[in-house]
Amino acid sequence: MGKKKGKKTGDSAQLPFATTTAATTPSTSAPTVVAAAQQTRPTLGASGDQQPSGLQTTQQSRGLYPAQQPKEQGPAQKPKEPGPAQKPKEPGPTQRSKELGPTQQPKGQATVQKPKEPRPAQKLKEPVPTQRLKELCLTQQPKGQATVQKLEEPGPAQKLKEQRPAQKSKEPGPTQQPKGQAAVQKPKEPGPAQKPRESDPTQRSKEPSPMQQPKGQVPVQQPDDPPSASGVTRQGGHGKSKGRGRDIDRKRDAPAKRDSDVGKEIVKYPAGASGEAVFKPVLRPDTGGTVGPKIKLLANFFPMKFREDVVVFHYDINIEPDVKSKVRTREVVNHFVKLQKAAGIFANVFPVFDGRKNLYTAKKLPLRNNQDEIAFEMVGERRPFTMKIQLAGEIPFRPLLAFLCGESREPALEAIQALDIILREMPNLRFVPVGRYFFTNSTGCSMGPGLDLWKGYYQSVRPTRWKTVMLQLDTSVRVFHKGQHVLDLIVEFFGLRHIDEAASLRPADWAAFAKHIKGLQVETTHQVDIKRTYKIIEISSKPANELTFPLNQPDGKSIPCIVSQYFKQQYNIDLRFPKLPCLQAQPKEKHRYIPMEFCIVKKGQQLKKLTDEMTANMIRRSAVPADERQKLINGVVQELNLNKDIYMKEFGLEFSPHMIELNGRVLPAPSMRYRNQNITPRNGSWNMRSAQFYSSAQVEKMAVISFDRRTNIPIIMNFVTSLSKAARELNMQLPLNLCDNVEYGNRAEDVRRLLSNLRRKHGPELNLVIVIMPNFKSSEIYGTVKKVGDTEIGIPTQCVQPKNVLKNNQQTLVNICMKINSKLGEVNTIVASPSVIFSKPVMIMGADVTHPSPGDFSKPSIAAVTASYDAMAFKYAARIGIQEHRKEIISDLSKITRELLLNFFKKTNGQKPKKIIFYRDGVSEGQFREVLAYELRAVQEACYSLQKDFQPLITFLVVQKRHHTRLFCKNDADKQGRSGNVPAGTMVDEGIVHPVEFDFYLCSHEGIQGTSRPAHYHVLYDDNSFTSDELQKLTYHLCHVYARCTRSVSIPAPAYYAHHCAFRGRHYIDSCQTKDLPERDSEIARVLKQMNDACITHTDITGMFFT
């Protein structure tokens, strides 16, 4: 996940920005923390350390960090003398050795110490109170935090404004500041929207450098206090965190750990290992944004009404014998309800069932002691069932109304879940359910042998800001297996004229058919009155008249029996096709073989794994213009006719069949700055004709490799000449002549030889290799090119399709130049008027995790993290991590973030980010709690590992694209493009958003095909106290700095880059000896290490290799 050249290099104390400390002897009154890993851990200038010459923190220049415009630093500041209320007793000498950790303050010692007169070559030493690990690493900085910040203009000693005395808390902690003691405030006076809360009483009034922690500061984790996802205060935080609406629940009376234990815990502490965190969401900071003209919109949300006096009765049910299938469980429960309708417990009651264990009614059931056991039978079942039903609780709707109206912060999840199940009961009876989707029937479009495209819809109950719940509806299409006889499927699959021709099929043909039918459920027909369902796992290698299986005998023994003879003896049936193989059903050890002539593929089974061709075909058929999609959704509403739903009437629900109308805003597009002009986008795109790159690459040597024989030498040279001409117009230099002859390859195995030869002949002066791909789609060749170029040899490569070489289209050439320029570490364009947060160093991060396809159970998941390292957030570094199968939490995020912080420090001439904005892609609402608890913690631990008091303000957002919210223009005049979509920059933060939490929808791109899908942003953590306008503007601007096109993209560039990197990682690990994870846990770590090593990029790759 780092860089390599020959062999890997890790972070060590020998790095140029690592600091050293003077050797001292620790005091007996201040026990020393021994932390082995701290001896070799590089820091960003820890307190008491001397920074190397030239790497001191400098003031950011206008537009660029000192890495681009160095600026002289003024003389060091003189710390302010503490006042009378702050003046402590003179402590004994406390010193730290060169290799030892910080010292702990003795019990009872004052938290503020008068500094000794420093010698010229010696910095101040301070005693430090004990802090918990939660207080430093896990939470937000309190609003108006009293930690001392360095003045923006370094120079002579400057006086800091004093903050008002901190208020005494109800339960003061052991390190609380005495009443009346002044706390030092940041020099900048907060505005009305950022009025500071209660200051931190544990802070000293001296003024260290902005990124230096007071010497000896050590966080301590309480063993019984889990990490808080919502805000365990940062260093010195007491009571409340800076993020809005999050109070801190902490145990103040828990004893602190010994310092000797703390150091070891910091080194070995795994992220999130101490238990589940408490998730407390960020509340909306204001009434919503105000920037941009308003636009009238419609959304696919339909308001609902419910009576607040309704109480829903929740029952737990248990079926014996156990039924594993959810579909079968619903069949059994529906049969039971039908039997009990007349004079049983469900007389005059319409219950709803979730398909698992939960049943809801609007009336209380007449059960004995609120529980009962009832036996019943079903046709076709050998044994009777017993239904155990017990009252689990009562769910009133009044708390839900209080939550929607803002009177309560408890989201009333049980009531929302009950509403969702009520609305799903009738569709479950009428349609084919697949998760939250319901599919009605086939569209008549064939997607291959035995496959059809079905139409359906999605529905979900959503609490909204309009003080009501709404039903969200959207259309959908999926590929399903046809409900047909297996013999007909064989004819269709192999293109036969009659099933008799199947006897001549080869074993390889049957193996292909077995792959297609594996996992499908089939119904048997050899018994007229009984239909059983089996799941297919294999096809037998022998025909039915030769295949034997062990037949159990009454004496407990088994004898071999031929399948065809068994059906003759048991059912008196002669097989019509005895030469066909049999289907084997699970479980395998029971040797269940069923002749194909007795099997019908059960209707309504979704195809789980689509080919690339199927996916493209399905997208083409489902991508309909906005107007048509709006009509389809309204058609679903009419078909459902929910106001006549007996279950909705039973629970007192009403439904509005009209889409909700709301006000959106169109954010103004930022002006994009190029070297010679500024360009303002129109509806999400701009033309850079006559514009030049903000900073341009200069390529000295360039070579071409071709895997397409149609592109001969004259064609290639014509392409190179045109590309060089297009580059010159962009102020970018590409050579007209190649440094070597064009080399041709045929297979992926040729890539390593061709690239190695070029590197050996031309050395590091070879800046770029253009690779012309074959005419057919070959992910193997592409993946090998990127693997060898990025990780083994260190040559930037640009792959080009042969059709683009032949056409020489000007716009295509410009797009290729944009990719090359960013690959070589230069800047295409920047936002002319960036957000105010860029006035100080800020690091923008993006993260994503990709998982294997649903049918794959052995391949690993791939995580990718990107982080900016320039003043305008255009340049990004990336790290790729391989982790366990389908694991969403990024395992090595702390290590990755540490590497990216060090890269930021190096690239910006010793700057340390004051703020970190983290865009996390691919997280569902159910994973918010877990992701925040572990990944936010990992980022904070990475900061702490570099420097004890390095606490940048963090904002953590989740970016969601896989949702079903659709926006439509109410007025035709507002519609954009041929698809009639909403304009780029459409913002919605009212109506359909969360009732109290900080979230918004932003459609930042132009909808070219189909209906635009806005991105949904949910703020999980916010140290920076962003207003709605500030965060929305920043997010929209980041959608314009995507290096691969002159368009604003659908999500911010760092999240988009992380998505690309995760897929690039899949190509990297394809070269490993083991592509799949082993079954043994003991082997997984070894294989993951091998895969992660394969993803380390070469040190010569310095640009954005993923563009």
Side-chain angles (χ1 to χ4, degrees):
M1 293 179 295
K3 294 285 184 181
K4 67 179 178 183
K5 186 173 184 179
K7 62 180 181 179
K8 293 178 292 181
T9 60
D11 301 328
S12 67
Q14 287 73 33
L15 291 175
F17 44 83
T19 58
T20 59
T21 58
T24 56
T25 304
S27 171
T28 56
S29 62
T32 303
V33 179
V34 180
Q38 292 180 359
Q39 299 176 11
T40 59
R41 184 162 57 204
T43 68
L44 297 182
S47 178
D49 299 342
Q50 273 190 322
Q51 292 199 18
S53 176
L55 290 182
Q56 290 88 350
T57 303
T58 58
Q59 181 70 18
Q60 181 189 5
S61 61
R62 182 69 174 174
L64 293 176
Y65 290 150
Q68 292 81 28
Q69 282 189 1
K71 191 173 182 179
E72 294 184 1
Q73 186 177 8
Q77 272 187 304
K78 182 179 179 181
K80 184 177 179 179
E81 191 75 28
Q86 299 171 317
K87 204 166 185 178
K89 297 180 180 180
E90 194 71 17
T94 57
Q95 297 173 323
R96 47 191 290 199
S97 66
K98 183 174 182 179
E99 300 294 337
L100 296 183
T103 57
Q104 185 182 16
Q105 179 181 346
K107 185 176 180 181
Q109 181 171 334
T111 57
V112 182
Q113 183 182 4
K114 180 178 179 181
K116 296 181 180 180
E117 189 66 20
R119 297 177 182 176
Q122 184 180 5
K123 291 189 177 181
L124 301 176
K125 297 180 173 61
E126 305 172 44
V128 176
T130 304
Q131 296 281 349
R132 289 185 296 196
L133 181 60
K134 286 174 63 177
E135 296 183 30
L136 184 59
C137 293
L138 288 184
T139 188
Q140 310 186 63
Q141 192 171 356
K143 194 170 184 179
Q145 175 178 332
T147 49
V148 182
Q149 297 290 337
K150 187 175 181 181
L151 292 176
E152 291 191 335
E153 289 298 334
Q158 301 179 14
K159 293 184 178 181
L160 301 179
K161 299 179 180 179
E162 288 189 344
Q163 196 177 28
R164 60 178 180 178
Q167 297 177 3
K168 186 177 180 181
S169 60
K170 294 181 180 180
E171 297 182 12
T175 61
Q176 187 170 1
Q177 186 176 351
K179 185 176 181 181
Q181 179 169 334
V184 179
Q185 191 181 9
K186 296 181 181 180
K188 186 176 179 179
E189 192 69 21
Q194 298 178 337
K195 187 176 180 181
R197 297 183 184 178
E198 181 180 337
S199 64
D200 182 4
T202 66
Q203 297 297 324
R204 289 173 296 277
S205 61
K206 291 199 308 178
E207 186 185 1
S209 61
M211 304 305 295
Q212 291 177 343
Q213 180 189 7
K215 192 172 181 181
Q217 180 86 4
V218 178
V220 179
Q221 169 83 16
Q222 295 292 353
D224 59 344
D225 205 1
S228 173
S230 61
V232 182
T233 57
R234 285 180 175 271
Q235 173 188 353
H238 255 301
K240 293 186 179 181
S241 68
K242 183 172 181 176
R244 303 178 182 87
R246 283 166 289 180
D247 298 330
I248 307 307
D249 300 325
R250 70 174 44 175
K251 301 178 180 179
R252 302 179 184 273
D253 55 347
K257 291 187 178 181
R258 298 190 308 271
D259 278 4
S260 57
D261 297 330
V262 174
K264 297 177 183 178
E265 185 179 17
I266 293 171
V267 175
K268 301 179 181 179
Y269 198 91
S274 66
E276 183 182 0
V278 179
F279 173 64
K280 294 186 179 179
V282 181
L283 302 184
R284 195 175 305 280
D286 43 40
T287 59
T290 59
V291 175
K294 292 186 178 181
I295 181 174
K296 293 289 185 180
L297 299 172
L298 299 173
N300 57 336
F301 286 71
F302 299 85
M304 295 176 55
K305 293 181 180 180
F306 59 90
R307 299 199 313 267
E308 61 175 316
D309 59 339
V310 170
V311 176
V312 176
F313 297 92
H314 175 204
Y315 293 89
D316 284 340
I317 63 173
N318 187 30
I319 303 173
E320 294 182 356
D322 187 33
V323 182
K324 296 182 179 179
S325 168
K326 186 176 178 180
V327 175
R328 185 58 177 164
T329 300
R330 185 172 290 279
E331 292 175 353
V332 173
V333 172
N334 289 342
H335 180 73
F336 173 74
V337 171
K338 186 177 180 181
L339 293 176
Q340 294 290 320
K341 267 289 184 183
I345 60 174
F346 294 120
N348 300 320
V349 176
F350 293 92
V352 297
F353 178 57
D354 71 343
R356 297 181 180 89
K357 298 285 184 181
N358 302 295
L359 186 139
Y360 301 87
T361 63
K363 303 173 184 176
K364 194 171 183 178
L365 300 180
L367 304 177
R368 295 170 302 195
N369 297 324
N370 291 325
Q371 58 183 357
D372 207 345
E373 292 187 15
I374 303 174
F376 64 100
E377 295 182 350
M378 286 187 68
V379 177
E381 294 293 338
R382 300 172 182 174
R383 296 177 297 174
F385 288 103
T386 299
M387 179 72 69
K388 295 182 179 180
I389 182 168
Q390 181 177 3
L391 180 65
E394 299 180 1
I395 305 174
F397 281 174
R398 190 181 300 277
L400 175 58
L401 183 63
F403 170 70
L404 294 170
C405 295
E407 299 172 3
S408 169
R409 293 185 181 178
E410 296 298 326
L413 296 178
E414 288 187 342
I416 295 174
Q417 181 182 5
L419 285 173
D420 188 62
I421 295 170
I422 293 168
L423 288 166
R424 294 171 61 83
E425 184 66 21
M426 183 58 76
N428 272 315
L429 300 176
R430 296 176 57 189
F431 309 127
V432 176
V434 179
R436 289 192 171 275
Y437 298 83
F438 296 96
F439 293 91
T440 55
N441 51 28
S442 173
T443 60
C445 175
S446 176
M447 299 294 289
L451 301 172
D452 274 343
L453 189 69
W454 282 34
K455 67 178 182 179
Y457 72 95
Y458 167 93
Q459 80 170 43
S460 176
V461 173
R462 313 284 298 182
T464 65
R465 197 177 171 191
W466 274 11
K467 300 182 180 181
T468 185
V469 291
M470 297 192 188
L471 181 64
Q472 185 183 22
L473 296 173
D474 190 25
T475 60
S476 180
V477 292
R478 293 285 176 89
V479 179
F480 281 79
H481 292 273
K482 292 181 182 177
Q484 60 180 349
H485 203 286
V486 171
L487 298 182
D488 296 333
L489 176 59
I490 292 173
V491 171
E492 187 177 350
F493 188 85
F494 293 107
L496 307 177
R497 289 174 295 180
H498 193 270
I499 189 60
D500 293 333
E501 299 177 4
S504 61
L505 293 174
R506 300 169 300 174
D509 298 327
W510 286 117
F513 183 71
K515 187 177 180 180
H516 175 81
I517 203 172
K518 183 178 180 180
L520 288 183
Q521 292 183 342
V522 296
E523 293 179 340
T524 57
T525 60
H526 60 281
Q527 293 175 282
V528 179
D529 56 339
I530 299 177
K531 289 187 178 182
R532 299 192 182 278
T533 301
Y534 297 95
K535 187 175 183 179
I536 305 304
I537 59 173
E538 192 53 84
I539 292 181
S540 64
S541 58
K542 295 181 179 180
N545 58 0
E546 299 178 12
L547 179 64
T548 61
F549 69 98
L551 180 64
N552 295 328
Q553 299 297 305
D555 58 0
K557 298 181 180 180
S558 61
I559 59 173
C561 180
I562 299 177
V563 172
S564 57
Q565 294 179 358
Y566 172 80
F567 276 83
K568 177 64 177 176
Q569 297 170 3
Q570 187 74 14
Y571 304 107
N572 194 25
I573 298 176
D574 293 315
L575 299 185
R576 295 170 54 204
F577 305 100
K579 295 185 178 181
L580 292 181
C582 295
L583 301 179
Q584 184 177 2
Q586 69 176 13
K588 188 174 184 179
E589 58 271 12
K590 289 195 174 181
H591 305 284
R592 290 175 174 167
Y593 294 101
I594 311 170
M596 293 184 176
E597 59 190 81
F598 299 140
C599 296
I600 296 176
V601 178
K602 194 173 181 180
K603 185 179 179 181
Q605 298 183 75
Q606 181 188 353
L607 179 65
K608 295 182 179 179
K609 189 173 182 179
L610 276 67
T611 63
D612 292 341
E613 183 180 356
M614 289 180 186
T615 302
N617 190 15
M618 188 174 70
I619 291 175
R620 282 195 301 269
R621 295 181 180 274
S622 61
V624 296
D627 288 344
E628 186 174 344
R629 193 181 197 98
Q630 185 178 352
K631 292 178 182 178
L632 291 173
I633 294 174
N634 288 328
V636 170
V637 174
Q638 294 178 2
E639 184 177 4
L640 292 176
N641 198 9
L642 290 177
N643 284 325
K644 293 187 178 180
D645 188 326
I646 58 174
Y647 298 100
M648 288 190 62
K649 290 182 178 180
E650 176 80 357
F651 290 89
L653 303 179
E654 296 182 12
F655 172 79
S656 172
H658 305 291
M659 285 189 182
I660 185 175
E661 296 184 12
L662 49 87
N663 289 321
R665 292 176 289 114
V666 180
L667 301 183
S671 178
M672 307 306 297
R673 177 178 297 173
Y674 288 87
R675 179 175 178 269
N676 58 340
Q677 60 178 299
N678 290 356
I679 302 176
T680 301
R682 298 184 59 185
N683 194 29
S685 64
W686 64 96
N687 193 329
M688 57 177 298
R689 185 182 293 112
S690 73
Q692 297 177 348
F693 290 144
Y694 186 79
S695 67
S696 305
Q698 308 299 315
V699 179
E700 297 179 9
K701 289 186 178 182
M702 181 174 69
V704 173
I705 297 174
S706 178
F707 288 88
D708 183 71
R709 293 290 176 176
R710 298 178 308 160
T711 53
N712 53 34
I713 301 298
I715 292 176
I716 291 177
M717 293 311 300
N718 182 45
F719 170 76
V720 171
T721 302
S722 301
L723 186 63
S724 299
K725 182 181 177 181
R728 284 197 304 272
E729 294 177 358
L730 298 168
N731 196 38
M732 176 180 169
Q733 179 182 336
L734 289 181
L736 288 170
N737 299 318
L738 302 177
C739 66
D740 209 322
N741 295 327
V742 177
E743 297 287 348
Y744 285 89
N746 298 313
R747 302 173 302 171
E749 291 76 10
D750 299 332
V751 172
R752 186 171 283 99
R753 172 181 57 83
L754 295 172
L755 288 177
S756 298
N757 289 341
L758 289 172
R759 174 59 88 194
R760 185 169 52 255
K761 290 170 65 176
H762 302 285
E765 296 167 357
L766 178 62
N767 305 114
L768 176 67
V769 176
I770 294 177
V771 182
I772 302 174
M773 302 301 291
N775 190 34
F776 58 91
K777 187 174 183 180
S778 175
S779 60
E780 184 181 6
I781 292 178
Y782 176 83
T784 307
V785 168
K786 295 304 177 183
K787 164 64 179 173
V788 175
D790 294 347
T791 69
E792 296 180 12
I793 301 177
I795 302 179
T797 56
Q798 177 60 54
C799 295
V800 183
Q801 292 295 331
K803 63 179 181 180
N804 293 329
V805 176
L806 296 170
K807 288 182 180 179
N808 261 351
N809 179 268
Q810 180 66 23
Q811 184 59 49
T812 303
L813 295 174
V814 171
N815 288 344
I816 294 173
C817 289
M818 293 173 66
K819 294 181 181 181
I820 293 174
N821 197 54
S822 59
K823 277 185 173 73
L824 299 180
E826 299 302 330
V827 178
N828 295 350
T829 182
I830 63 172
V831 175
S833 300
S835 172
V836 69
I837 74 163
F838 290 105
S839 60
K840 293 184 179 180
V842 58
M843 189 167 79
I844 310 293
M845 299 183 69
D848 191 17
V849 179
T850 61
H851 304 289
S853 56
D856 193 324
F857 301 100
S858 59
K859 284 187 170 52
S861 294
I862 301 180
V865 184
T866 61
S868 64
Y869 59 88
D870 68 335
M872 296 303 172
F874 181 88
K875 295 182 180 181
Y876 287 83
R879 297 293 184 269
I880 301 171
I882 313 301
Q883 54 194 42
E884 290 86 348
H885 175 78
R886 301 202 73 81
K887 181 179 180 181
E888 182 61 38
I889 303 300
I890 302 176
S891 301
D892 295 328
L893 183 59
S894 181
K895 177 184 177 183
I896 291 173
T897 304
R898 189 176 190 274
E899 293 178 1
L900 293 171
L901 285 167
L902 291 172
N903 179 75
F904 185 97
F905 182 82
K906 177 182 177 181
K907 297 288 188 180
T908 58
N909 193 28
Q911 290 283 354
K912 305 146 196 174
K914 301 294 180 64
K915 299 180 181 182
I916 294 177
I917 316 298
F918 197 108
Y919 289 90
R920 179 64 159 91
D921 192 12
V923 178
S924 64
E925 293 180 6
Q927 297 169 318
F928 283 0
R929 180 191 305 269
E930 186 180 13
V931 166
L932 186 65
Y934 291 87
E935 295 188 1
L936 174 66
R937 178 194 187 94
V939 174
Q940 293 170 334
E941 286 182 345
C943 297
Y944 175 80
S945 71
L946 292 171
Q947 182 175 309
K948 302 296 187 298
D949 66 340
F950 177 38
Q951 298 177 48
L953 304 179
I954 300 174
T955 297
F956 195 105
L957 299 86
V958 167
V959 188
Q960 294 176 312
K961 283 290 289 181
R962 294 184 178 181
H963 60 80
H964 289 269
T965 299
R966 298 294 184 272
L967 302 174
F968 308 96
C969 294
K970 182 180 179 182
N971 301 322
D972 293 341
D974 295 327
K975 298 176 181 178
Q976 301 291 324
R978 290 179 296 179
S979 297
N981 280 300
V982 296
T986 299
M987 165 66 60
V988 173
D989 56 4
E990 67 169 46
I992 59 176
V993 294
H994 194 276
V996 294
E997 295 176 12
F998 192 4
D999 70 326
F1000 56 89
Y1001 290 93
L1002 172 60
C1003 186
S1004 55
H1005 64 292
E1006 177 189 10
I1008 301 175
Q1009 181 183 11
T1011 306
S1012 296
R1013 174 161 44 188
H1016 187 199
Y1017 299 86
H1018 209 117
V1019 184
L1020 302 188
Y1021 187 87
D1022 184 20
D1023 272 342
N1024 292 286
S1025 295
F1026 280 118
T1027 65
S1028 295
D1029 282 328
E1030 289 171 346
L1031 192 55
Q1032 292 165 7
K1033 177 183 176 181
L1034 170 65
T1035 301
Y1036 188 41
H1037 285 191
L1038 289 172
C1039 296
H1040 287 76
V1041 294
Y1042 185 64
R1044 300 174 65 167
C1045 61
T1046 55
R1047 290 181 175 275
S1048 58
V1049 289
S1050 57
I1051 58 178
Y1056 218 137
Y1057 291 150
H1059 181 75
H1060 288 316
C1061 287
F1063 278 96
R1064 179 68 60 87
R1066 190 71 64 185
H1067 293 304
Y1068 291 166
I1069 65 175
D1070 283 345
S1071 63
C1072 297
Q1073 295 179 354
T1074 305
K1075 299 180 183 179
D1076 298 333
L1077 293 176
E1079 295 183 0
R1080 293 183 179 180
D1081 292 341
S1082 58
E1083 294 292 318
I1084 291 179
R1086 178 185 61 81
V1087 175
L1088 286 177
K1089 184 181 184 305
Q1090 177 189 3
M1091 293 179 174
N1092 276 294
D1093 289 345
C1095 295
I1096 301 176
T1097 55
H1098 198 279
T1099 52
D1100 289 345
I1101 302 295
T1102 57
M1104 296 197 293
F1105 62 90
F1106 40 83
T1107 56

